[in-house]
Amino acid sequence: MRRCPSPKFRFRARFRFFVTRFEAMRELSKSQNGFGGNLGGLAGADKICQDIATKEGFGAKTWRAFLSATKGGANGGAVHAIERIGQGPWYDRKGRLVAMNTQGLLGNRPAGDMAIINDLPNERGEAQKPFGDNHDVVTGSNRMGRLANNDPLSTCQDWTSSDPAGTEMKVMCGHSWPRSASSGLSWMSDHPLRGCAAGVNLMQNGPGTGNCIGCSGGYGALYCFALQP
């Protein structure tokens, strides 16, 4: 008699989305301040996702960072985050739906399980909000998941630089959880960050201060998507 897979196995098979945990970013960057804007380019950002997934036991899947860039696409043109992540569906570590397809990602919040869409979970399936003011997630993208600005400073020189000079209020981020019921709603593209420098701020102090990637509420987190089940 054929046995049905256990719920735990099904959840593992479905897992295709996470927000990078603070501790994981610190560990991989070998810095208390994280990577800042220098992720090693798109390939380096993808490796961050891959390495975190591998440590959790999901390295057999191919993971991509939800990031746009000014060059590296067809004919050397722009790279758009929404085109890097496959077609869905995407589920979190605990088997909860994030979105069925790319169309389901284009609203303020993903069209998924109400239990997680307002606090998108990390690689362990944990909500982010209990760990502090960590809602800013780097995307470099507009609300269609496409490159927000052709200026290389708006992507920290396509994710190769942590030099803050000229990058203040240019690098777009989304919110893994909304600031309130009426503001900071977009998971993909909510506001520009304070700059590309490495840095962390997990305390609520309004717009924050300084010129670091985490200064307005975060640590330079990424969204990671698996290309296949």
Side-chain angles (χ1 to χ4, degrees), residues 29 33-39 138 156 159 161-162 195-199 213 219-220:
S29 66
N33 290 322
F35 289 94
N38 186 0
L39 304 171
V138 184
C156 303
W159 317 114
S161 173
S162 291
C196 289
I213 209 160
Y219 50 90

Side-chain angles (χ1 to χ4, degrees), residues 38-121:
N38 186 0
L39 304 171
L42 287 176
D46 292 344
K47 187 175 187 301
I48 291 168
C49 291
Q50 194 75 43
D51 287 349
I52 292 173
T54 297
K55 188 168 184 179
E56 295 296 316
F58 296 90
K61 300 183 181 187
T62 301
W63 294 84
R64 293 286 181 265
F66 190 88
L67 289 173
S68 295
T70 64
K71 59 183 182 296
N75 301 315
V79 177
H80 305 293
I82 200 74
E83 296 176 354
R84 307 191 73 239
I85 60 171
Q87 299 300 314
W90 299 280
Y91 296 86
D92 84 326
R93 175 73 177 267
K94 297 182 178 179
R96 297 168 294 191
L97 180 67
V98 177
M100 285 300 298
N101 48 43
T102 54
Q103 188 63 35
L105 294 172
L106 298 182
N108 276 331
R109 309 305 301 173
D113 191 323
M114 289 299 295
I116 62 169
I117 61 172
N118 288 316
D119 196 347
L120 295 171

Side-chain angles (χ1 to χ4, degrees), residues 7-44:
K8 183 176 180 180
F9 179 84
R10 292 198 301 270
F11 294 165
R12 287 183 60 86
R14 285 179 171 184
F15 180 37
R16 294 184 63 191
F17 169 87
F18 62 89
V19 182
T20 57
R21 249 180 346 117
F22 180 35
E23 293 82 359
M25 296 295 274
R26 275 186 162 177
E27 181 180 347
L28 288 174
S29 66
K30 298 180 173 59
S31 169
Q32 294 296 296
N33 290 322
F35 289 94
N38 186 0
L39 304 171
L42 287 176

Side-chain angles (χ1 to χ4, degrees), residues 153 157 161-168 170 195-197 211:
L153 293 174
Q157 300 291 346
S161 173
S162 291
D163 182 354
T167 66
E168 293 88 347
K170 289 186 177 180
C196 289
N211 55 11

Side-chain angles (χ1 to χ4, degrees), residues 123-143:
E123 67 269 21
R124 295 183 176 175
E126 301 164 332
Q128 286 283 94
K129 191 172 184 179
F131 297 105
D133 187 31
N134 56 13
H135 54 286
D136 288 351
V137 180
V138 184
T139 68
S141 303
N142 62 23
R143 295 194 178 190

